[in-house]
Amino acid sequence: MIEFKDVLKIYPNGTKGLNNVNIKINKGEFVVIVGLSGAGKSTMLRSINRLHEITSGEIIIDGKSITKARGKALLRCRRDIGMIFQNFNLVKRSTVLRNVLSGRVGYHSTIRTLLGLFPKEDINIALNALKRVNLEEKAYSRADELSGGQQQRVSIARALAQEAKFILADEPVASLDPLTTKQVMDDLKRINKDLGITTIVNLHFVDLARQYATRIVGVRAGEIVFDGPVEEATDDVFSSIYGRPVKQDEMLGAKV
Amino acid sequence: MDALKKRRLSLMKRLVTLIFIIVILWASSLGTEVSISSLMDGLPGMGSLFLEMLPPDWSYFSYVTEPMLETIRMAVIGTTYGAIVAIPFALLSSRNVVKWPVIYFPFRFVMNLIRTIPELLLAALFVPVLGIGDNAGIMALSVFSFGVIAKLAYESIEAIDNGPLEAMTAVGANKIQWIFYGVVPQVIASFVSYTLYCFEINVRAAAILGYVGAGGIGLYLNNTLKLFQYQRVSTIIIYTLIVVVIIDMISNKCREKLI
Ligand SMILES: Nc1ncnc2c1ncn2[C@@H]1O[C@H](COP(=O)(O)OP(=O)(O)OP(=O)(O)O)[C@@H](O)[C@H]1O
Ligand SMILES: [Mg+2]
């Protein structure tokens, strides 16, 4: 479970990224965060694993405060949280397998990982993770030889190899075409269902959010303005989150 | 109106720059007493020297092979030492690796300071300390290589993609794992390339370090010149040229492969 308690985030320039956010996300949920550009979706996601430090309040993950965690404890917390980025964030010059294995570094001593001496078991974990996203045969290709959609699925495999309990995905399909978008979202959904990994995704396509989410969270100006099951997220709700009617280009269907 | 003003200003700037350059050239030619006419006067002398160098003393080749190998060895060891010390310095000078200016500024300062010392001066400094011979040359080349490689490496570290670094943070990697999995794979190819490039420079530098007593073929060049053995001088020059060309060729091939 992830719990935000009175979370406030003020950027050094005075911008309020998050304003008094309180929310609980339960195990196994597939939450989609929606909102206009600049609403605070990324800020919210990145606060969870402390890629961004919050100004005040607290974030609790499975009963432990990541906000108060220091040193090793913080690394342990992060190890449990996989992250998927809009730009995949793979090391392009490294092999796919090495990229996936980099998700395992938190489980081993520094010296072992520096020498690349992962146990056989870890290699299997990594290959299995690749199998889950149907990229087993690409294990020994260089990451930059893969298409965008494939690279994003490698980054999903990295989160799987991490044996993460949570997956945070910040606009995971924003740089993909509609077809690969579907593959990536399907992978995320399947992993969420099969492995029970709590998944939080930032999306800006309304129809995509409706199709995959179990729960929708609407953000505006750093505040949560809607939180409810996907069935309740009607067109009117989206209009109120956006502060205007939903536009055609906010539908993925429009792009196909 | 504004655009016209701007154009006039930039024209002005160019003119001032041009005048500045001419003045500097003129002043420095006065200072060093260089003139076209004195160059012309020297030409016949150069011609006769050139004739005296022919034909090269072929038997001398085998004699200077040992010092030639020593020269290459100095370059190899110097580059290696320099490259090894450059790694931590380059990392500690990079803003995206070390977030605190109190650390990266001092490291950058030391790096830039060392870079300003020419290798010949370094050799002249090391000879009195380590004695005449290749040790002084190796030390001089190590320090020189360190300066070159650390600077180039730190610049390429600062230019890497931040994405994989963020990903490694998110994965829960500690700082050392973060460097080895996020930074190193992104810069290793250019680092090796810079090291090879520096090695090419070092072979040339090593060939003249003997002038200040720091070992290598330069000592022989100096001696033969002093004794007016110009045919041997030309042997050394040809030998050095061949070695430099071959090493450059191999090194270039390697660097091409790296990209
Ligand atoms: N590093 C930063 N420094 C200052 N302000 C920032 C910084 N990052 C984000 N902000 C501001 O915080 C607010 C929320 O930004 P955030 O990136 O979370 O929005 P978002 O909902 O993810 O938008 P998008 O859909 O464009 O990605 C914006 O007003 C943004 O300008
Ligand atoms: Mg964002």
Side-chain angles (χ1 to χ4, degrees):
Chain A
M1 194 175 73
I2 297 176
E3 187 177 0
F4 281 65
K5 281 186 179 168
D6 302 322
V7 174
L8 181 73
K9 163 72 184 177
I10 300 173
Y11 283 104
N13 65 3
T15 312
K16 261 196 188 156
L18 294 176
N19 191 8
N20 196 31
V21 169
N22 282 287
I23 190 172
K24 267 188 202 168
I25 289 156
N26 301 309
K27 184 165 168 35
E29 283 192 296
F30 196 107
V31 178
V32 171
I33 303 176
V34 295
L36 287 176
S37 179
K41 305 182 295 290
S42 299
T43 309
M44 195 169 157
L45 217 56
R46 285 161 173 265
S47 298
I48 296 175
N49 59 359
R50 275 178 61 185
L51 286 188
H52 283 343
E53 298 290 348
I54 56 177
T55 311
S56 70
E58 198 172 14
I59 296 173
I60 315 273
I61 292 164
D62 280 344
K64 274 184 269 173
S65 166
I66 191 171
T67 312
K68 289 193 183 128
R70 294 284 170 273
K72 265 219 162 79
L74 173 62
L75 300 185
R76 278 286 149 79
C77 282
R78 282 182 173 151
R79 197 179 73 181
D80 287 341
I81 309 172
M83 189 146 196
I84 318 286
F85 302 84
Q86 176 177 341
N87 299 316
F88 328 133
N89 289 1
L90 302 177
V91 175
K92 297 196 175 63
R93 307 184 63 106
S94 297
T95 63
V96 166
L97 184 63
R98 192 180 157 87
N99 270 291
V100 177
L101 275 172
S102 75
R104 303 278 321 151
V105 297
Y107 290 93
H108 302 291
S109 67
T110 305
I111 189 74
R112 184 161 202 153
T113 50
L114 295 201
L115 298 174
L117 296 173
F118 289 97
K120 191 90 190 68
E121 199 187 312
D122 280 47
I123 312 278
N124 283 334
I125 292 174
L127 289 173
N128 272 331
L130 280 171
K131 198 189 280 179
R132 268 194 190 277
V133 293
N134 289 316
L135 284 173
E136 232 183 333
E137 76 281 8
K138 298 283 188 197
Y140 297 96
S141 308
R142 249 172 68 150
D144 55 6
E145 289 166 8
L146 272 57
S147 71
Q150 290 173 327
Q151 288 189 38
Q152 191 60 299
R153 280 147 60 210
V154 171
S155 88
I156 294 174
R158 177 172 59 195
L160 288 177
Q162 209 177 319
E163 296 183 315
K165 300 193 182 82
F166 308 90
I167 286 182
L168 313 175
D170 193 0
E171 311 259 9
V173 295
S175 47
L176 304 178
D177 62 62
L179 195 74
T180 39
T181 289
K182 189 169 153 28
Q183 282 178 333
V184 166
M185 289 307 297
D186 282 347
D187 276 335
L188 282 173
K189 185 75 187 178
R190 190 155 30 81
I191 286 157
N192 162 257
K193 272 194 179 150
D194 294 356
L195 305 175
I197 298 178
T198 312
T199 307
I200 311 177
V201 187
N202 287 349
L203 283 180
H204 61 260
F205 290 122
V206 171
D207 47 353
L208 217 54
R210 281 215 182 102
Q211 190 183 342
Y212 290 96
T214 57
R215 174 178 172 187
I216 303 262
V217 172
V219 190
R220 193 167 73 202
E223 294 182 32
I224 294 180
V225 293
F226 174 83
D227 180 6
V230 64
E231 300 79 31
E232 287 175 19
T234 58
D235 282 355
D236 286 344
V237 165
F238 274 105
S239 300
S240 74
I241 293 171
Y242 288 175
R244 54 162 173 74
V246 173
K247 286 193 220 155
Q248 264 305 302
D249 64 358
E250 278 151 1
M251 296 293 211
L252 180 66
K255 263 173 66 173
V256 188
Chain B
M1 188 62 201
D2 217 35
L4 199 72
K5 223 180 200 173
K6 252 187 204 154
R7 200 183 307 159
R8 207 175 276 164
L9 264 177
S10 85
L11 201 74
M12 192 70 166
K13 217 161 80 187
R14 253 182 254 165
L15 203 69
V16 171
T17 314
L18 192 70
I19 293 171
F20 188 70
I21 290 172
I22 290 172
V23 169
I24 284 194
L25 280 177
W26 175 71
S28 49
S29 72
L30 272 188
T32 53
E33 287 169 358
V34 167
S35 71
I36 303 288
S37 64
S38 69
L39 256 177
M40 287 301 184
D41 292 344
L43 263 182
M46 263 168 75
S48 61
L49 179 68
F50 189 70
L51 286 179
E52 278 181 67
M53 285 170 111
L54 293 174
D57 179 353
W58 301 110
S59 64
Y60 199 56
F61 261 101
S62 59
Y63 188 77
V64 286
T65 293
E66 184 52 39
M68 184 52 93
L69 288 176
E70 186 189 65
T71 308
I72 298 172
R73 200 172 60 229
M74 278 163 55
V76 170
I77 299 175
T79 315
T80 311
Y81 285 174
I84 290 170
V85 183
I87 296 170
F89 261 78
L91 285 168
L92 289 167
S93 304
S94 302
R95 203 172 15 205
N96 50 350
V97 175
V98 180
K99 304 281 189 294
W100 307 286
V102 276
I103 296 184
Y104 65 73
F105 273 127
F107 274 97
R108 270 185 213 182
F109 180 75
V110 172
M111 212 167 68
N112 285 326
L113 196 72
I114 289 175
R115 248 173 65 83
T116 56
I117 314 172
E119 66 267 37
L120 217 55
L121 180 58
L122 283 170
L125 289 173
F126 279 119
V127 168
V129 182
L130 299 170
I132 287 182
D134 56 356
N135 277 340
I138 289 171
M139 276 311 289
L141 291 176
S142 301
V143 175
F144 173 73
S145 316
F146 160 77
V148 174
I149 298 172
K151 169 88 173 175
L152 290 172
Y154 124 75
E155 278 172 359
S156 67
I157 291 174
E158 289 215 325
I160 62 175
D161 177 9
N162 190 43
L165 306 181
E166 233 178 2
M168 287 319 290
T169 305
V171 139
N174 64 33
K175 194 75 188 187
I176 297 174
Q177 293 169 329
W178 185 89
I179 289 171
F180 267 75
Y181 280 79
V183 180
V184 170
Q186 290 196 71
V187 293
I188 188 76
S190 31
F191 179 80
V192 174
S193 172
Y194 297 147
T195 304
L196 284 172
Y197 168 71
C198 187
F199 174 63
E200 292 172 31
I201 303 178
N202 279 349
V203 174
R204 292 166 170 77
I208 52 164
L209 284 185
Y211 260 87
V212 291
I217 194 116
L219 183 68
Y220 290 75
L221 186 62
N222 196 11
N223 288 346
T224 46
L225 266 173
K226 271 192 194 138
L227 298 172
F228 307 110
Q229 299 168 327
Y230 292 125
Q231 297 180 339
R232 291 187 165 180
V233 169
S234 63
T235 306
I236 293 175
I237 292 175
I238 291 169
Y239 205 167
T240 310
L241 262 173
I242 293 172
V243 167
V244 165
V245 166
I246 291 174
I247 285 179
D248 277 13
M249 252 162 51
I250 298 171
S251 172
N252 274 322
K253 269 277 172 307
C254 292
R255 290 201 281 141
E256 267 169 35
K257 286 256 158 60
L258 280 168
I259 308 299

